[in-house]
Amino acid sequence: MDPGQKADLASVREDVVRTLRVFYENWANVTRPLLALANFNLVGSPAEPETLLTSADWCGPWAGDFKELGRIDVPLFGAWNIEAASAGEYEVRLYLFPPAADTPLNRALRNVPARPVAAARLLLDDKAHLAQAAADASYVRFTLALKQGERRRIEGQFLDVAGKPLSGAFFVRVNRIHE
């Protein structure tokens, strides 16, 4: 037995390696085209009135986690694809930190240094909406109207006083607030 898999058996069991390689290539050929399909997060469902999106849900080649927030030398940005389950007005709250932390946008949290957040930009299919960050606010709020079944791409960015992007929104809460 070799529970730690320390012995390389590839040269001894070339037949097994060939079988596994063929299986893997067939699987990859079938699934590779699926990687190009957009994945949409459903928002505004009566079964889930609030949707929390995190950087782990960002579309594209990179998805981040909270540890990445500590890197202020390289700002990280990402977007989400959303689909409206119901028509109505939606509230979109952009957070830098986990909402439960209730930490102001311009403060430090654990090993994450403070950033001079003055405003936020919500990109809705690349159309920019701007809002100022209130002093000591833990999020910046936007509203938008969506039709049932409408698919949009959203991205949140935090900006300094000069409008320079500091970081993407790592957390977003989306709620349908009116029909």
Side-chain angles (χ1 to χ4, degrees), residues 52-99:
L52 177 65
L53 303 171
T54 74
S55 58
D57 302 311
W58 281 348
C59 354
W62 188 86
D65 62 33
F66 186 72
K67 291 180 286 194
E68 298 291 339
L69 275 170
R71 297 196 56 205
I72 62 171
D73 57 324
V74 179
L76 301 172
F77 301 94
W80 297 269
N81 291 323
I82 62 169
E83 179 178 345
S86 306
E89 186 177 8
Y90 285 77
E91 174 186 64
V92 178
R93 293 182 181 186
L94 305 181
Y95 293 83
L96 186 59
F97 302 111

Side-chain angles (χ1 to χ4, degrees), residues 2-53:
D2 186 17
Q5 298 183 2
K6 294 181 181 180
D8 183 359
L9 300 177
S11 61
V12 177
R13 296 299 314 263
E14 291 177 1
D15 58 324
V16 173
V17 171
R18 266 191 307 279
T19 301
L20 291 173
R21 172 62 55 194
V22 167
F23 179 83
Y24 172 77
E25 291 298 332
N26 289 336
W27 172 83
N29 288 335
V30 169
T31 59
R32 196 170 286 123
L34 299 176
L35 294 174
L37 298 177
N39 183 27
F40 289 85
N41 295 284
L42 193 64
V43 298
S45 166
E48 184 181 14
E50 178 177 278
T51 302
L52 177 65
L53 303 171

